[in-house]
Amino acid sequence: MTSTSPCPIPPDAPFFIVMNGGSGRHDVNEVQQTIQRTMAEAGRQHTVHVVTDASRLAAAARSAVKQAQARGGVVVAAGGDGTINAMAHATLGSGCAFGVLPQGTFNYFARTHGIPTDTEDAVRLLLSARAHPVQVGQVNDRVFLVNASVGLYPQLLEDREAFKQQYGRSRFIALISGLVTLLRQHRQLRLRIERNDEVRELRTPTLFVGNNLLQLQQIGLSEAQCLDRGMLAALALRPVGTLSMFWLMLRGAFGRLGDAENVHTFAFRRILVKPRWPLGRRRMKVATDGEVMRMRPPLQFGVAVEPLMLLKPDAVEAVA
């Protein structure tokens, strides 16, 4: 189904929905009943597979894609940005259309593409929307729809998940965990970044690559508009102390991070990132859409050759 323009979905196409039972603050049974009721009222064939063990999410995604390919159906992710990432990773290049029922805390991907956070409204959108090509980022063999990063940001995400396990899921808890992370000492990465014929050496606590217009606009990066030109936006912090780090965090909260003195930003289509420490070949922590994994360098960031065919409104207005 890969195309550069919107494609209609056959009115009898079945939906294969994988739902992460641990995403967000929603009642799983209530959400599942809403999905099934709304689909049944429209007379659409569908299956809902609830995954309660995150380690089985990738396998469930692959199974849903195989079923959708066999029956000309649509693959649907019901969960937060991490769940959507796992489902998109399995769907990209399969020829299947992709749908989203946002259930997470931040829902950057869904909000950027005008997909309602109300479950019933999001299901009704699936029933009527066309599939639009959406840019996908990649770091080595992993996709990202919102962002990818190394250094401090993956550590922040790990700390945030630990806080959520103990105190619950909310934006306030995410903020507190971020403050706690910043109070610790930060390891400085020495990175060699190759872009086209240009080579740059950076010493930074974190390298952040964005692929989401709403998030980039919220923190104040002028490079946000580069996404419309098939590019990604990168941000690297220069080495700073704890107080300066807090100041940068506040600037980001008020949408003014991009013009800070201690921030280096640039747009690109493809870069190669190599660590310069003595054990430069050991695996690095890399975060993609909120999920942390280890990858062996060098790390190649770029735009995927194929887009993801996403069911979304024809006239999109990002939800703030």
Side-chain angles (χ1 to χ4, degrees):
M1 166 171 279
T2 302
S3 172
T4 57
S5 58
C7 299
I9 301 300
D12 59 348
F15 291 90
F16 298 92
I17 304 165
V18 176
M19 179 178 173
N20 186 346
S23 290
R25 296 162 288 170
H26 303 272
D27 180 274
V28 176
N29 291 330
E30 181 180 340
V31 171
Q32 185 176 1
Q33 290 172 9
T34 299
I35 295 171
Q36 292 174 328
R37 172 179 51 79
T38 310
M39 286 284 183
E41 289 175 352
R44 293 297 288 271
Q45 295 183 26
H46 65 282
T47 62
V48 180
H49 178 54
V50 179
V51 178
T52 55
D53 181 354
S55 66
R56 300 183 63 85
L57 185 59
R62 291 192 295 269
S63 176
V65 170
K66 287 183 180 179
Q67 293 177 73
Q69 287 177 315
R71 297 179 56 189
V74 178
V75 179
V76 180
D81 287 328
T83 302
I84 295 169
N85 174 285
M87 297 295 295
H89 182 79
T91 306
L92 187 68
S94 68
C96 298
F98 186 69
V100 169
L101 300 174
Q103 305 291 314
T105 304
F106 292 95
N107 297 315
Y108 276 118
F109 182 71
R111 290 160 58 204
T112 291
H113 294 289
I115 298 171
T117 55
D118 177 80
T119 300
E120 184 171 342
D121 290 343
V123 174
R124 295 192 185 283
L125 174 64
L126 292 180
L127 296 167
S128 61
R130 295 192 295 170
H132 296 248
V134 169
Q135 174 173 293
V136 176
Q138 286 184 310
V139 50
N140 290 0
D141 62 342
R142 292 298 307 181
V143 308
F144 61 95
L145 303 175
V146 180
N147 60 58
S149 58
V150 296
L152 177 62
Y153 194 68
Q155 185 60 54
L156 186 151
L157 291 173
E158 287 188 330
D159 292 346
R160 187 176 77 186
E161 188 58 33
F163 266 68
K164 285 180 178 180
Q165 294 293 330
Q166 187 170 359
Y167 302 109
R169 295 178 178 272
S170 72
R171 296 189 183 190
F172 177 73
I173 294 298
L175 174 62
I176 294 300
S177 70
L179 293 174
V180 171
T181 303
L182 293 182
L183 285 173
R184 301 172 182 167
Q185 284 192 328
H186 314 121
R187 180 180 185 177
Q188 301 295 325
L189 302 177
R190 299 183 68 89
L191 302 176
R192 175 187 174 93
I193 300 179
E194 300 176 6
R195 177 177 53 163
N196 299 328
D197 296 328
E198 176 188 354
V199 177
R200 179 184 293 269
E201 301 277 350
L202 284 180
R203 185 166 173 263
T204 178
T206 195
L207 173 67
F208 175 94
V209 176
N211 185 36
N212 182 270
L213 182 64
L214 179 60
Q215 186 180 57
L216 293 176
Q217 288 177 335
Q218 282 188 345
I219 62 177
L221 260 64
S222 60
E223 283 81 2
Q225 302 306 318
C226 77
L227 302 183
D228 293 333
R229 305 193 302 274
M231 305 177 78
L232 300 169
L235 177 153
L237 302 181
R238 294 185 172 89
V240 295
T242 301
L243 288 178
S244 295
M245 191 70 76
F246 275 119
W247 176 240
L248 290 174
M249 185 175 180
L250 286 174
R251 290 184 71 98
F254 286 98
R256 298 191 59 193
L257 184 60
D259 58 1
E261 291 183 359
N262 292 314
V263 173
H264 175 62
T265 63
F266 59 95
F268 69 92
R269 285 189 172 84
R270 195 163 301 277
I271 58 173
L272 191 67
V273 178
K274 301 177 180 179
R276 302 291 287 174
W277 57 66
L279 299 177
R281 294 184 62 81
R282 67 183 179 187
R283 294 181 182 273
M284 302 174 67
K285 284 185 180 179
V286 181
T288 55
D289 295 346
E291 303 298 317
V292 181
M293 65 199 73
R294 289 185 178 273
M295 293 185 181
R296 192 177 299 280
L299 304 177
Q300 182 166 276
F301 293 85
V303 177
V305 175
E306 293 187 52
L308 190 67
M309 298 304 293
L310 176 69
L311 294 181
K312 68 174 186 174
D314 287 341
V316 173
E317 182 175 344
V319 182

